[in-house]
Amino acid sequence: MAILAITSLFMVVLLRVGWEYLRRRDPLLRDVMLVFAAVAMLFVLSALRLAGLTPPRTLTVLFSVALLGQPFFALRLVSRLRPVPAWGVGAALAVWLLSAVPVVVLPPPLPRMLVWLVVGAFFAVEAAAAVLLGAQARRRGGAARIRLWCAAAGTGLFGVALMIAGAGPAVAEVARAVALVSALMYLLAFVPPRWLRRLWSQNAAYAAMRRLLDAPVDEPAHYTWQRYCEQAREVLGADDVVVLVPVAPAGGAVHAVGRAGLALPKRDYGDAELDLLLARPVTLDALAGWTEPPRIAADLAAATGTRFVTAAPLPQSGRRGALVLLHRYRTLFAADDVALFAELAGHAAALADRAAVLAERERLAVIVESSHDAIIGKTLDGVITSWNRGAERLYGYSAGEVLGRHAAMLFPPGQEQTEAQLMDRIACGERIEQYQVQRRRRDGTVITVALTLSPITDPHGDVVGVASISRDISDRQRAEVMFRGLLESAPDAIIGVDRGGRIVLINAQAERLFGYARAELLGQSVDVLVPEAVRGTHVRHREGYFADPKARPMGHGMALTAVRKDGTEFPAEISLSALETDKGVIVSAAVRDVTERLAAQTERERLVTQAERDAAERRLQHTRRLESLGQLAGGVAHDFNNILAVIANYTELVLDTLDAAELQPVDVAAARTDLGQISRAAERATRLTKQLLAFGRREITQPEILNLNHVIGDVEQMLRRTLGEHIHLITDLDRRLWTVCADASQMEQILLNLAVNARDAMPAGGTLSLDTANIELAADDVADATLTPGRYVRVRVSDTGAGMPPEVAERAFEPFYTTKPAGAGTGLGLATVYGIATAADGDVHLYSEPGIGTTVTVLLPVTDDTADTPTTGAAAPAAEAPRRAAPQETILLVEDEPDLREATARILTRAGYHVLAAAGGEAALHIAETHPGPIHLLLTDVIMPKMMGNEVAARLHRRRPDTPVLYMSGYAQPVLTEHGRLPAGVTIIEKPFTRQHLLDRLHDVLHHTHPAPANPTT
């Protein structure tokens, strides 16, 4: 959007400048239009690409060629503002043409080297134009200075943007951002808001006006106008400034007044000639005969050696006049400054013509009130008669509090005699400049001010009062004290040396560094701080530096040595700078002891070498992980392909059986067997999915108080089936085993993974030992582990397999790492064990020896909670539930998967439930709102489009607060869990589930639990 906005704004500005050019045919406007048009080409191309449009190649080439001409147009524009060598403009034109040739001739993309040549040449010319614009800005003041700086910044940034773009698409966004900033700079330069231009102009114009106010009140009008021209010339950057003022107060003819020393025509000009000059609204070329310049313009240009003339009328209380700017070259952005200076000329006229002071008093009061200095009027008796805002800010009194009171309220005690002497001098007509005195503020604090006193005279020249201008210089005095404080507190030793080599300045750090007292060094030769071996050469170096003193920064690359009072030498860095004083040149030397830094640099180099080695090791590990990821993908794909093959083949067998004309009992039995195979394949897929979720810590954990002996007893038979008859399983369980808080299914996953790994390590048979024990770990036992001291339950699984070499054992818990053949393992077994154990605040250790076997030890922290209350909302499995009566409840089923929603609804309907099915949250809420009867339970999926299950439950509870909720999901961890665990009271059934499992959970929630929270995440 920013690109489109900038493009639109540029096009508006371009049209506006183009219209002005067609009206006035000004070559300067033509060059401005070309600069804007060239910059606009970049944004037009960007806007077309952002809009998804591909312009024809001819149009793209045309836009690109125009864009490459921007530096030439900018340089030509600069050549109208200041001297630019003709060869420079010609070189810029040649660069443009040479840059445009490959763009026109060669098909995109251009060779990288050629692109760099083009953008490099573009940047060089653009930088030259920016530097010249900046130099022109330094000559100007007011709004013109700021706008020229903006133009210079925009030109330079535009070259930088194209240079960055030449680096390729990777930095296209950076180039586009720099181009946008460049565009904003151009807009601030060429079309800033009027209020902003006015503000820029006021700051410079009013500063110049304040300097005019410092003039003596009895200054002749001719001198006032001369100083006005000098101030206007300084701010406006003109080669000369002339004012045309009336010859007589009544008006009529005008004559020219300029800065002091400027030879102007000694003649008067009538109203007709003045009207002819002011009738030209633009800058005119006074030396071009075809422009028919007015006589005044031609005379002033010839007298000042200039060419271009700009005139603006001067408001002087009904009298006519003009402000005339004379330039050797064209100007940009001077209109606002000229207009404001022309407006301020009225104030200058008031100063020049004391007869008009009363008429202009109100306008002058505005300037006085805007001054930051305290301007106060007093009678000769010291009574305050006027008080501006600067005085309010400086002294803290409002005008109403001081007018009519004696100025002694501002004097500190004991200063009355000094003030009386000053008033006597003013009464004699003397003017007092920058006199430092102390003044007392309203809060009692005493400040130092620079006081300027001028006599106020009546029309007869008698002194009737005093005009006082006060400026607070307390900050300057504090700055001097601060300088001394900074010198003394500087972290480097600072020594001042005169031309004779004597020490004239020393700070506290120099005393500490060299071991000398200040009195011992002042007046001594600096050679006492130089090692004796180099003192001879040091004298020559010092004399050479004083002959041509140049600042030498700290760390200039010179290895130097200094010597302390005790004779010890130390490596030092020394910076030098020269200062002109009333006592001659003083060289300041800042000395820094770099002993520690050199030692740190040596240590840093060692650390960099170590970091490079570590980085190489990390890259190697990353490569290994990528290889392991490929092994994981192959293993998972292999297992899922096997499962899918079983499901697909047995499904076809069942379909073939059902397609038979008559089903025999043996066919029904075969179909039932085939469906059993499909069910077992689904269970295998479920286990594989759970293993992946457990490894990624995305599985919902349902921790409860467990005795691991019971868990081992529950899975012992399954472990024996998994191991096979060729492996002997031995268990040694501690009968008084402490309890832990863990997820039972995850503990079974640990045991199963370790058993499978042991089985694979003993293909010819062996023994697998499984034992449990209580242990207490002290601080020394966990020094090298992530555990904390305390009580733990230890589960140890040992096999008599082949064992692992050290390099394999070191990476055993690394994700995706496996030594099994491709497709035979995923590399997740031990990684999953490690992830489950550490998630339960435990740890895993592995010890293995090749040819002997492997032992894996799992440590889990003991819990002091009792097993009476489960830690999650999951219902414990019932042993043997009695036969239940047919349910009659109404279930609101929310599932976005159509097939699963249909299957679940059929299961519930067959079981006797009344089912209200909804495909999403909005539909479910609509059913809940319109269903006339009760809804006994909400059965909702968790992750659904548009509205998550927990949000459905929360919004349903606003209408039906007593409705319990049973969530169902295969991956609810990001939505329902807190750190992977279900909050208290939240009940969930994990997908995939069986019919009986679903009905059991429904029965438990409906008859044995309280309603679940509406929003478990809050």
Side-chain angles (χ1 to χ4, degrees), residues 218-435:
D218 56 350
E219 182 179 66
H222 185 75
Y223 293 157
T224 301
W225 282 118
Q226 283 185 343
R227 295 201 306 122
Y228 171 82
C229 292
E230 291 172 356
Q231 295 295 328
R233 179 171 178 263
E234 177 183 344
V235 173
L236 300 177
D239 293 306
D240 265 306
V241 174
V242 174
V243 290
L244 300 175
V245 296
V247 175
V254 295
H255 70 282
V257 179
R259 59 183 171 85
L262 181 64
L264 294 174
K266 303 288 187 183
R267 64 181 303 267
D268 299 334
Y269 299 97
D271 286 344
E273 292 176 304
L274 181 61
D275 291 338
L276 189 60
L277 175 66
L278 296 177
R280 299 293 183 94
V282 296
T283 300
L284 55 91
D285 189 345
L287 301 185
W290 59 270
T291 62
E292 297 182 0
R295 181 176 179 181
I296 299 179
D299 289 349
L300 294 179
T304 57
T306 56
R307 177 172 182 173
F308 297 97
V309 180
T310 304
L314 293 181
Q316 300 184 59
S317 301
R319 293 178 295 173
R320 308 192 62 197
L323 173 66
V324 182
L325 275 70
L326 301 156
H327 299 272
R328 293 182 178 88
Y329 292 87
R330 292 295 305 274
T331 61
L332 263 180
F333 313 135
D336 298 287
D337 298 328
V338 172
L340 189 57
F341 256 87
E343 180 181 341
L344 292 178
H347 304 305
L351 292 174
D353 188 359
R354 297 296 184 246
V357 169
L358 294 179
E360 297 292 336
R361 178 175 297 174
E362 184 175 351
R363 297 181 67 184
L364 285 174
V366 174
I367 297 177
V368 172
E369 285 298 311
S370 66
S371 174
H372 293 284
D373 296 331
I375 301 177
I376 304 171
K378 298 183 294 184
T379 66
L380 291 178
D381 296 331
V383 177
I384 299 173
T385 57
S386 64
W387 186 268
N388 76 334
R389 292 179 184 176
E392 292 181 3
R393 289 190 294 268
L394 181 60
Y395 295 112
Y397 293 98
S398 66
E401 293 175 299
V402 297
L403 291 179
R405 299 178 62 181
H406 198 277
M409 62 185 296
L410 305 177
F411 305 157
Q415 197 172 318
E416 291 80 2
Q417 184 176 358
T418 301
E419 297 294 336
Q421 294 173 353
L422 294 176
M423 294 300 292
D424 290 341
R425 293 168 59 185
I426 293 298
C428 296
E430 185 180 349
R431 175 181 170 88
I432 300 174
E433 297 271 1
Q434 301 296 312
Y435 187 80

Side-chain angles (χ1 to χ4, degrees), residues 623-646:
T623 302
R624 290 175 178 174
R625 288 191 179 95
L626 291 178
E627 294 173 355
S628 300
L629 182 60
Q631 295 175 356
L632 169 66
V636 172
H638 175 270
D639 290 350
F640 268 111
N641 282 336
N642 289 341
I643 293 170
L644 293 174
V646 171

Side-chain angles (χ1 to χ4, degrees), residues 986-1005:
V986 177
T987 308
I988 189 170
I989 179 171
E990 295 189 60
K991 298 177 182 178
F993 46 76
T994 63
R995 171 183 176 277
Q996 191 58 45
H997 188 196
L998 174 62
L999 296 178
D1000 288 343
R1001 295 307 296 273
L1002 279 175
H1003 183 271
D1004 290 340
V1005 174

